[in-house]
Structure formats: structure tokens, C-alpha cells
């Protein structure tokens, strides 16, 4: 039986042809994947920037936003400025990405 196993381990011409075809497909797919990964990183950076702009501007104008709520919208806002800190837990769009790196 050991001899039959050794004989079946030798690749046939069909196996070699299939291997070369798959290798060629992989080599063609890798640059496409790299381009898509780069595009994804750019889109995620854009989302991060837009998200920061939204969070900063809505806090600065005192109206609130969809993340922190609108409780203070009708309250009389004093002339004191609120700190425009953006917390990671407020970044619901950036945090929803599994691939985004801060």
C-alpha cells in the first residue's frame, strides 16, 4: 500500500497544467487586490476626515448631532465655548470598518 501512495503523489501533466493556470491567475489577481486595498484605505481616510468635520462643526454650533443627541438644541447656549474633543466611541463610521487603522 505504501507504494500505491507514493505513486499517487507524483503530479500528472494535468496537475502541472492546472497548477500553472492557477499560478497565473493568482499573479494577475494580486495587483488588482493591492489597488483595491489602496482605494479602500483612501476611502476610509476620507470617511475619518469627514466624520471629524461633522463632529467638530456640530458641537461648535451647539445644535447637537446624531451621535451625541440634540438635547441642547433648544437650550440657551452661553458664550462659553465647549471643547471640541472627538472621542473614539463617537466615530461610529470609522469604527465600523474592520480594516481601518487609526
Amino acid at each position: 500500500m505504501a507504494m500505491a501512495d507514493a505513486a499517487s503523489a507524483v503530479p500528472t501533466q494535468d496537475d502541472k497544467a492546472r497548477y500553472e493556470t492557477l499560478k497565473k491567475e493568482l499573479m494577475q489577481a494580486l495587483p488588482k487586490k493591492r489597488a483595491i486595498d489602496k482605494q479602500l484605505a483612501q476611502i476610509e481616510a476620507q470617511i475619518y476626515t469627514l466624520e471629524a468635520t461633522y463632529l467638530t462643526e456640530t458641537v461648535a454650533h451647539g445644535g447637537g448631532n446624531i451621535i451625541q443627541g440634540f438635547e441642547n438644541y433648544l437650550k440657551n447656549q452661553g458664550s462659553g465655548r465647549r471643547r471640541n474633543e472627538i472621542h473614539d466611541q463617537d466615530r461610529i463610521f470609522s469604527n465600523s470598518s474592520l480594516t481601518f487603522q487609526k
Side-chain angles (χ1 to χ4, degrees):
M1 246 250 172
M3 218 160 203
D5 290 340
S8 66
V10 175
T12 64
Q13 269 316 100
D14 288 342
D15 292 337
K16 290 178 184 178
R18 184 171 180 259
Y19 169 78
E20 290 301 322
T21 300
L22 292 173
K23 182 179 172 183
K24 183 179 176 182
E25 287 176 16
L26 177 62
M27 296 305 286
Q28 291 172 346
L30 284 174
K32 292 177 187 176
K33 183 190 180 308
R34 286 188 198 104
I36 290 169
D37 288 344
K38 183 178 179 179
Q39 184 180 15
L40 176 61
Q42 291 170 340
I43 291 169
E44 287 175 334
Q46 183 181 13
I47 289 170
Y48 187 86
T49 302
L50 291 170
E51 191 172 44
T53 301
Y54 172 76
L55 292 171
T56 304
E57 287 181 3
T58 55
V59 169
H61 294 109
N65 59 47
I66 61 170
I67 295 152
Q68 297 170 341
F70 294 95
E71 292 85 26
N72 295 325
Y73 183 71
L74 295 176
K75 290 182 182 177
N76 185 5
Q77 296 291 321
S79 61
R81 295 186 58 93
R82 294 179 64 186
R83 295 180 70 189
N84 293 340
E85 290 182 24
I86 301 172
H87 303 285
D88 275 345
Q89 68 266 19
D90 293 339
R91 293 186 173 275
I92 60 172
F93 299 107
S94 296
N95 289 333
S96 68
S97 172
L98 295 176
T99 58
F100 182 69
Q101 299 177 5
K102 296 173 180 114

